Amino acid sequence: MRWLRRHLLVIVAILVLVYMLIPNAVVAVFSFNNPVGRYNYTWQEFSVDAWTNPCGAQGICDSLGLSLRIGLVASLTATALGTMIAFALGRYRFRGRSGTNLLIFMPMATPEVVMGSSLLTLFLMIGLPSGQLAVTIAHIMFCISFVVVAVKARVATLDPRLEEAAADLGSTPVQTFLRVTFPLAFPGILAGALLAFSLSFDDYIITNFNASPSSITFPMYVWGAAQRGAPVQVNVIGTMMFLIALVVVVAGQLLTARRDRARS
Amino acid sequence: MAEVALGTGGAPARPRRRHVGWVPYALLAPGLLWLLVFFAAPMFTLGSQSLQEGNVFDGYVFTGNVSVYADALQKYWPHLLRSVGYAGAATVFALLLAYPLAYVIAQKAGRFQNLMLVLVVAPFFTSFLIRTLAWRTILSDTGPVTELAQRLHITDLLQAANLINNDTLLSSKFAVIAGLTYNFLPFMILPLYASLDRLDHRLVEAAEDLYASPFQAFRHVTWPMSLPGVVAGTLLTFIPAAGDYINSRLLGNTQTIMIGQVIDTQFLRVLDYPLAAALSFVLLLLILALVTTYVRRAGTEELV
Amino acid sequence: MAEHESGDLQLVGLSKRFGEFTAVHPLDLTIPEGSFFALLGPSGCGKTTTLRMVAGLEEPTDGRILIGDTDITHARAYQRNVNTVFQSYALFPHMSVLDNVAFGLRRKKDKDAKRKAQEALDLVQLGHTAAKRPNQLSGGMQQRVALARALVNRPDVLLLDEPLGALDLKLRRQMQIELKRIQQEVGLTFIHVTHDQEEAMTMADRIAVMNGGHLEQLADPTTLYEKPTSTFVANFLGQSNLLRARVTGSAGEGLARADVQGNEVVIDAAKVPDGLTDVWVGVRPEKLTLGESGGRNRLHGTVVDASFTGVATQYLVRTAAGADVVVVQQNDGSARAAVNENVTLSWEPGREFVLDAAQDDHAGMDEVA
């Protein structure tokens, strides 16, 4: 009983983690299911059919490719724009700072359904057709704020004296940025870019308002499939993405851990 | 050592402000322009759209028809209320679940800290929609979870609380709120972790040294110091949850339709643009009003 | 990039204002080439701002900066042949120690950057750490890397901004000797900013004492200590007993008669500022002797506190007029006094300094580090 009281907090924490991870486990397990009928909701029998043929469901890999392309363009553009804003906020004093902060904050405080629908009204008004371009514009828009937050946090930790030291040692402003500021801010920029990519890749609501039947992203494909009964390939691709991301993150962690060990 | 040394510097570090002139504006311009055109301007076109009359085929003309707002509210106030209610409930549950986990990661995890942080963000690695669909499997009528809940009479309890309609878990208020809680949990955990990680454990020890019971130490030291994380986390959970309709659509029934789903349907299926735009606008104002009141009361203005 | 210019560093009417606040009042200063020069003062006295203006990190509001005949007032930091050892070292955390040291040379496209950097590291006895990252080194080692990184560029002027502030006492003493050795070895002009008077006196050939954005006194360490020209300098550098006195006339042989709280003393007439009769007579604690063997001048009082510090004993003696006087007696075997004992203090005329009584006798006291 005393043991339980002492470890209660840790037990609760682990249970919460389990709650968070169960769906991922279920997705992975059911990627090996061989469902009867269209619905992959109850376990039937073990099969690797979907894994050997991940593009086997019609349109799934086209939508995946489209999502990856949009994610790449949107995250790169948003990272460039957001990083510039973060540097302006973190390094300079200027008029209109509070207005800027508000404009950065608002997209994060606005429900997606409002952003998606309002953007649709704008596109209707200016005559921009729904489709890939409209979706990409929308994704860049809602990613910028998150990049700004991620990069700004990093810029705030940079010691301005390092830049002074570089100038003191004869480095021009451009050289200082390339050799000192950028390398030091890079982890934050990378984090912002990865966050932007995952937000873009995963977005359904805003995308749904601005996509056309010829620009079905992966989340839209999953949504549509869910109405009819999702093919097992959806689980396969979900699991693959999970594993790839896990490998990247764990490898990154191990790399920093090893570097830290080498240092001490 | 370097970090420690930085903090002890006597003279204040003055960042160089030589080129204050145009540089910051040049850095801000492209991104802010993008946000102005594709975030701020649409709010005006949304407002304008809501005041137009006509139909998709013949086009719309601006008539300043304010009555659409009365119509929208009259017809859909239950959905608005429901959205706020579900999102509020999910936020409270997420806070209750996230706090112990964030606290353990920040203060007790030791060498498992990085592993636990990876596990917190790991769900993100699988698509939001796919994970929400997985809950249909988990809560399915014939699955082990439902069976266990029935055997432990949890279903009876939930039914008495009017959270489920029959003896099963899926397609119910319960499932929608559980889904919302689940989906936005990481948004609660990460800001909480960030503020709890900064908490110096010696402060808690000092409080206990000064005769505070563990509960009092929590109440007077840990909790107030984690408030910025609580405010950020609750906002990051509540706002998207209030506009979400994926959970209500995939895990709910016709009695759990949230406002987002109405807007989606009116815009994209019914093609009643003015009504949909009006609802969208109302949702935005409602959330802004709630958030502003909340932030004022919590006393944390620094959000970005 | 400025050509290598040798010559003295000259500050002409250099001043800096931040909005309403004047950090540095117009300052004229010549720092001879090859000297070890210290800018000394309490925090906020303007010494760091002065240094930053020389480095090019702060734009002067007015005035000029010259090295030899070259005006560098408006040259950018990266265009000046001036390098800084920063207070927090400001080593680039993402580069190896060697890359840090070679950074400046590489900006100048020096083909020999790597070899020279290695030599500079050897000079500070850190050759073996070349491949490490700065945060793998201790504070003292980082400090030496920062020094090597600045030195290797052979600057016309090397600026040191409280470079030893973050080190513990023992390491600081060690580094003071080390810095002095290196300066003599390379023969460059060093300007050392510090609030530590002992550090400044140990290392510098000449010291400029600054206070509130003004230059208080410029002199070599001995002169500053023996002949301070203001109560601020007298109190900031070491301890001083400032006794209110009135000059009453001449005592012959270059001496003047003065009345200190009813005691008649004689002081060096040359030290009395022209035309003044109301003065502070300053006597350093170690120049006072317990007993009558110290010299002609006498004071009487009661010991109120005695603290033994090993090499010496420090007494606090309250005179009949109520002034507190500090006396330091070397622990050389002579008789010691006890608390509450009535004692006589003595000193030889000429060992005192004399300041205008209009000055605040507490100036610089709270600032003593």
Side-chain angles (χ1 to χ4, degrees):
Chain A
M1 199 55 210
R2 262 182 60 197
W3 181 89
L4 193 70
R5 259 185 64 181
R6 187 174 305 163
H7 294 90
L8 186 63
L9 206 57
V10 176
I11 295 167
V12 170
I14 290 170
L15 287 177
V16 175
L17 264 184
V18 169
Y19 171 62
M20 293 176 71
L21 289 165
I22 277 186
N24 294 68
V26 169
V27 171
V29 169
F30 276 73
S31 70
F32 294 103
N33 193 15
N34 188 8
V36 178
R38 298 180 308 167
Y39 291 98
N40 185 17
Y41 291 144
T42 47
W43 181 257
Q44 296 298 328
E45 59 173 350
F46 182 83
S47 154
V48 291
D49 290 356
W51 277 92
T52 53
N53 189 14
C55 288
Q58 204 202 340
I60 191 167
C61 281
D62 294 339
S63 68
L64 183 65
L66 180 68
S67 273
L68 290 175
R69 277 201 304 281
I70 292 177
L72 209 63
V73 174
S75 58
L76 287 179
T77 314
T79 303
L81 299 179
T83 300
M84 280 156 59
I85 295 178
F87 268 97
L89 286 171
R91 273 284 183 273
Y92 295 91
R93 238 183 306 202
F94 55 87
R95 280 166 174 280
R97 169 178 286 271
S98 52
T100 305
N101 276 332
L102 187 69
L103 195 56
I104 303 296
F105 173 68
M106 281 306 290
M108 296 190 289
T110 306
E112 284 188 72
V113 67
V114 176
M115 285 195 279
S117 57
S118 65
L119 208 49
L120 175 61
T121 62
L122 176 82
F123 290 154
L124 283 171
M125 200 161 285
I126 62 174
L128 184 88
S130 296
Q132 197 175 329
L133 178 65
V135 171
T136 310
I137 288 173
H139 283 199
I140 293 169
M141 181 270 290
F142 71 73
C143 287
I144 288 176
S145 303
F146 290 93
V147 175
V148 172
V149 172
V151 178
K152 210 180 114 186
R154 179 78 193 176
V155 170
T157 66
L158 295 188
D159 184 357
R161 271 178 275 208
L162 291 175
E163 291 171 343
E164 290 186 353
D168 184 74
L169 292 165
S171 145
T172 63
V174 173
Q175 287 173 328
T176 302
F177 180 80
L178 290 179
R179 296 188 181 274
V180 176
T181 316
F182 185 77
L184 287 173
F186 185 72
I189 296 172
L190 184 68
L194 289 176
L195 182 63
F197 181 83
S198 70
L199 286 171
S200 162
F201 184 81
D202 215 16
D203 180 72
Y204 170 75
I205 294 180
I206 294 177
T207 309
N208 188 41
F209 275 97
N210 295 292
S212 67
S214 65
S215 61
I216 303 292
T217 63
F218 184 65
M220 290 178 73
Y221 177 89
V222 175
W223 178 269
Q227 317 298 316
R228 309 182 295 270
V232 186
Q233 276 81 358
V234 166
N235 291 46
V236 172
I237 289 173
T239 310
M240 275 185 188
M241 299 292 295
F242 179 80
L243 291 177
I244 292 170
L246 200 66
V247 166
V248 169
V249 168
V250 170
Q253 291 264 333
L254 286 180
L255 220 66
T256 29
R258 216 167 67 187
R259 214 167 47 201
D260 286 349
R261 240 199 325 274
R263 276 176 198 189
S264 51
Chain B
M1 187 66 206
E3 279 81 356
V4 177
L6 292 183
T8 60
R14 283 190 210 91
R16 228 153 65 113
R17 310 272 188 206
R18 236 184 205 162
H19 311 282
V20 177
W22 54 272
V23 175
Y25 298 105
L27 287 171
L28 290 171
L32 290 192
L33 205 63
W34 197 283
L35 289 178
L36 279 174
V37 174
F38 298 116
F39 175 77
M43 296 302 152
F44 292 98
T45 55
L46 183 73
S48 153
Q49 179 68 264
S50 70
L51 300 175
Q52 295 175 11
E53 282 180 284
N55 61 60
V56 183
F57 309 104
D58 307 327
Y60 287 95
V61 274
F62 187 89
T63 57
N65 173 29
V66 203
S67 66
V68 68
Y69 281 89
D71 290 350
L73 281 176
Q74 200 177 9
K75 221 164 156 187
Y76 294 109
W77 68 266
H79 300 83
L80 268 169
L81 218 59
R82 189 182 291 147
S83 298
V84 171
Y86 287 4
T91 306
V92 171
F93 288 128
L95 180 61
L96 291 176
L97 293 176
Y99 207 104
L101 179 56
Y103 185 85
V104 166
I105 298 177
Q107 299 282 340
K108 290 181 179 280
R111 63 201 173 92
F112 296 109
Q113 192 176 52
N114 274 342
L115 175 72
M116 290 181 87
L117 278 175
V118 169
L119 290 179
V120 167
V121 290
F124 283 133
F125 302 163
T126 300
S127 176
F128 178 89
L129 276 171
I130 300 180
R131 282 182 287 125
T132 310
L133 282 174
W135 279 105
R136 277 167 85 146
T137 307
I138 297 165
L139 299 178
S140 71
D141 298 354
T142 54
V145 176
T146 307
E147 201 177 315
L148 188 70
Q150 285 165 346
R151 209 171 284 166
L152 295 175
H153 298 284
I154 293 173
T155 45
D156 298 338
L157 218 69
L158 290 171
Q159 220 168 338
N162 198 21
L163 288 170
I164 54 178
N165 298 329
N166 46 42
D167 212 19
T168 58
L169 297 174
L170 203 59
S171 305
S172 66
K173 243 188 241 181
F174 164 77
V176 174
I177 294 174
L180 286 169
T181 307
Y182 161 78
N183 268 313
F184 299 107
L185 200 48
F187 293 100
M188 183 70 88
I189 294 172
L190 293 175
L192 276 179
Y193 162 75
S195 61
L196 284 169
D197 193 41
R198 281 195 292 266
L199 176 79
D200 186 343
H201 190 70
R202 282 171 297 187
L203 294 177
V204 177
E205 285 172 359
E208 284 174 357
D209 180 64
L210 298 166
Y211 319 113
S213 68
F215 174 76
Q216 286 171 324
F218 175 81
R219 164 89 180 67
H220 294 290
V221 178
T222 311
W223 174 255
M225 296 200 65
S226 65
L227 264 186
V230 173
V231 172
T234 45
L235 288 179
L236 285 174
T237 307
F238 178 80
I239 294 167
D244 177 80
Y245 56 90
I246 291 171
N247 286 283
S248 68
R249 183 68 206 270
L250 295 180
L251 304 174
N253 56 40
T254 50
Q255 303 304 307
T256 65
I257 294 173
M258 288 168 73
I259 192 68
Q261 196 173 336
V262 177
I263 297 171
D264 179 272
T265 310
Q266 292 298 323
F267 247 120
L268 303 172
R269 305 272 173 277
V270 183
L271 303 178
D272 187 344
Y273 290 173
L275 181 77
L279 279 173
S280 211
F281 214 69
V282 168
L283 175 63
L284 176 67
L285 293 180
L286 182 66
I287 286 186
L288 276 184
L290 286 172
V291 166
T292 321
T293 323
Y294 174 68
V295 172
R296 282 265 164 76
R297 293 203 48 183
T300 315
E301 300 278 355
E302 180 69 25
L303 287 165
V304 185
Chain C
M1 190 64 56
E3 285 300 301
H4 186 84
E5 282 294 334
S6 47
D8 300 347
L9 175 72
Q10 267 183 285
L11 311 183
V12 184
L14 195 67
S15 70
K16 178 69 186 178
R17 281 195 299 277
F18 294 105
E20 295 290 290
F21 173 68
T22 305
V24 179
H25 292 277
L27 179 68
D28 291 292
L29 209 55
T30 300
I31 294 163
E33 186 182 6
S35 64
F36 199 126
F37 193 93
L39 278 174
L40 174 66
S43 60
C45 72
K47 59 189 193 300
T48 295
T49 307
T50 306
L51 191 83
R52 288 172 62 85
M53 288 193 282
V54 175
L57 299 170
E58 210 79 69
E59 191 130 39
T61 309
D62 213 345
R64 296 193 302 147
I65 304 170
L66 299 112
I67 296 179
D69 299 324
T70 318
D71 189 327
I72 59 162
T73 314
H74 299 292
R76 292 282 165 77
Y78 59 89
Q79 295 162 330
R80 302 181 183 198
N81 203 15
V82 172
N83 291 114
T84 309
V85 177
F86 287 81
Q87 184 173 27
S88 54
Y89 319 138
L91 298 176
F92 304 122
H94 59 300
M95 296 177 194
S96 73
V97 165
L98 189 70
D99 287 339
N100 261 284
V101 178
F103 189 92
L105 295 172
R106 289 192 174 134
R107 300 288 80 72
K108 289 195 273 190
K109 308 248 184 305
D110 191 320
K111 296 227 162 44
D112 244 0
K114 205 173 159 188
R115 187 184 56 78
K116 286 183 182 170
Q118 185 64 52
E119 278 175 14
L121 275 177
D122 291 337
L123 179 72
V124 297
Q125 291 153 11
L126 283 176
H128 59 287
T129 64
K132 294 196 170 168
R133 296 271 173 148
N135 59 6
Q136 288 172 261
L137 306 183
S138 70
M141 289 162 112
Q142 292 185 21
Q143 203 281 328
R144 282 188 279 165
V145 173
L147 179 65
R149 185 177 70 173
L151 270 179
V152 75
N153 305 296
R154 297 276 145 178
D156 299 331
V157 180
L158 185 88
L159 307 174
L160 301 122
D161 183 7
E162 302 260 5
L164 309 179
L167 305 180
D168 64 51
L169 192 66
K170 204 174 150 201
L171 205 52
R172 207 181 313 167
R173 294 282 172 266
Q174 223 173 311
M175 280 307 299
Q176 286 171 4
I177 298 164
E178 180 87 359
L179 264 177
K180 186 78 187 158
R181 172 185 74 80
I182 289 169
Q183 194 264 340
Q184 281 161 356
E185 209 169 310
V186 297
L188 297 174
T189 311
F190 275 36
I191 302 180
H192 181 183
V193 156
T194 181
H195 65 269
D196 181 341
Q197 42 100 8
E198 212 176 316
E199 187 170 298
M201 290 204 280
T202 315
M203 298 166 75
D205 308 326
R206 285 178 80 71
I207 301 174
V209 181
M210 291 184 74
N211 180 31
H214 292 283
L215 179 64
E216 285 272 343
Q217 190 176 355
L218 169 67
D220 59 275
T222 318
T223 309
L224 277 181
Y225 190 77
E226 303 293 353
K227 295 174 191 164
T229 56
S230 68
T231 53
F232 177 85
V233 176
N235 287 322
F236 191 72
L237 275 92
Q239 277 179 298
S240 290
N241 296 306
L242 293 177
L243 304 164
R244 191 59 183 267
R246 195 174 170 79
V247 181
T248 51
S250 170
E253 296 168 25
L255 295 176
R257 213 175 294 282
D259 176 74
V260 176
Q261 300 160 352
N263 299 297
E264 195 183 82
V265 299
V266 285
I267 55 178
D268 185 349
K271 287 180 176 169
V272 181
D274 287 341
L276 282 183
T277 51
D278 280 325
V279 293
W280 293 114
V281 169
V283 190
R284 298 283 187 185
E286 72 281 4
K287 303 228 159 75
L288 283 169
T289 306
L290 218 54
E292 305 196 336
S293 62
R296 282 168 64 184
N297 292 326
R298 301 281 145 83
L299 289 175
H300 305 283
T302 313
V303 176
V304 289
D305 186 55
S307 44
F308 181 64
T309 59
V311 293
T313 304
Q314 179 170 313
Y315 296 98
L316 189 64
V317 176
R318 186 156 296 157
T319 64
D324 283 342
V325 176
V326 179
V327 184
V328 170
Q329 186 185 24
Q330 286 300 311
N331 189 14
D332 54 3
S334 53
R336 293 204 217 137
V339 174
N340 289 331
E341 199 177 318
N342 288 324
V343 292
T344 302
L345 305 175
S346 58
W347 85 89
E348 187 62 31
R351 295 198 175 161
E352 70 286 314
F353 53 86
V354 184
L355 298 169
D356 185 350
Q359 293 186 28
D360 174 14
D361 62 330
H362 288 306
M365 257 184 174
D366 306 330
E367 260 91 36
V368 174

